[in-house]
Amino acid sequence: MPATSKAQQKAAGAALSAKRGGTRKSELQGASKSMYNSMSEKQLEEFAETKRKGLPEKKSAD
């Protein structure tokens, strides 16, 4: 499932980095922290690899 905004893609990248040991879990904030706790590494990869071109900065409220 691809990310729906640039912010979501960035948060997934940060959470994936922490899962892989690149950054400390304690450095995560907000969405990236909850993604770290609730998603598998495979799910985070799918979100993080989404191309940013054409994505909105933030997802609009529905």
Side-chain angles (χ1 to χ4, degrees):
M1 175 178 192
T4 57
S5 69
K6 291 179 183 179
Q8 191 178 48
Q9 189 268 346
K10 291 175 190 176
L16 181 60
S17 176
K19 281 255 190 205
R20 291 181 173 170
T23 56
R24 286 183 272 169
K25 181 183 170 187
S26 61
E27 294 177 16
L28 299 177
Q29 300 177 20
S32 58
K33 192 173 198 174
S34 67
M35 286 177 141
Y36 176 89
N37 292 323
S38 65
M39 298 174 78
S40 70
E41 189 172 327
K42 178 71 174 157
Q43 290 172 314
L44 289 170
E45 278 179 16
E46 290 173 9
F47 271 79
E49 72 184 5
T50 304
K51 301 294 181 204
R52 290 188 195 178
K53 187 174 182 177
L55 289 179
E57 193 61 42
K58 292 188 175 185
K59 186 177 179 212
S60 61
D62 291 328

